[in-house]
Amino acid sequence: MAVRNVRTEENPVLREKCVEVPSITDGIKRLINDMFETMYEFDGVGLAAPQIGIAKKIVVIDDRDGNKLALINPVITESRGEQISEEGCLSLPGFAGRVKRPEFVKVEALNVDGDEILLEAEGFLAIVLSHEIDHLDGILYKDKAFEFGKAAKR
Ligand code: ZN
């Protein structure tokens, strides 16, 4: 396992449309392990593959309930409601913004074993899923933020 470099906003890989993962090879599993290690190293709650320079449809998330989620080729198939919260992103260090997201999302994806999984999430997890899956389409939260600027020092 290895911590990878997190790409920041000026890197064009963050604006790429990521490609689907055709099969879950040992290399993909290593990549996912590195994504978790990188996410925890930088105190993130989620990380998308383009953030470490790989334009493939993979996201990892820590749901704050002790579950590590690795989602391959995730797609939001349903969403409803709305919620507004402050978001940040490891690729936009030092900044924060307020973003409107769905309150509920349904996501289809593959897990690391290649099984199809269906995830229903609301609240915080719905925000993280929306944010990370946006990365796979080259979308950054600042594109959707109605307030964006330097994060307050904590
Ligand atoms: Zn992000």
Side-chain angles (χ1 to χ4, degrees), residues 51 88-91 131-132 135 141:
Q51 293 184 273
C89 179
L90 296 180
S91 294
H131 177 121
E132 299 307 333
H135 272 299
Y141 81 87

Side-chain angles (χ1 to χ4, degrees), residues 78-82 101-105:
E78 220 181 292
S79 65
R80 59 175 178 264
E82 52 183 54
R101 299 282 187 186
E103 166 59 28
F104 169 91
V105 295

Side-chain angles (χ1 to χ4, degrees), residues 54-136:
I54 313 255
K56 294 186 193 301
K57 292 190 174 182
I58 305 172
V59 306
V60 297
I61 289 171
D62 184 303
D63 73 357
R64 286 179 171 172
D65 281 325
N67 298 309
K68 291 165 70 174
L69 300 172
L71 304 177
I72 298 156
N73 304 335
V75 178
I76 293 177
T77 56
E78 220 181 292
S79 65
R80 59 175 178 264
E82 52 183 54
Q83 57 179 328
I84 291 169
S85 75
E86 185 169 290
E87 295 186 21
C89 179
L90 296 180
S91 294
L92 299 164
F95 287 85
R98 289 173 68 75
V99 186
K100 190 188 287 181
R101 299 282 187 186
E103 166 59 28
F104 169 91
V105 295
K106 210 180 254 191
V107 174
E108 286 178 18
L110 298 177
N111 66 15
V112 282
D113 299 319
D115 302 320
E116 284 180 28
I117 53 171
L118 180 68
L119 212 67
E120 296 189 10
E122 55 186 17
F124 173 72
L125 188 55
I127 293 170
V128 180
L129 284 164
S130 305
H131 177 121
E132 299 307 333
I133 292 171
D134 270 355
H135 272 299
L136 306 181

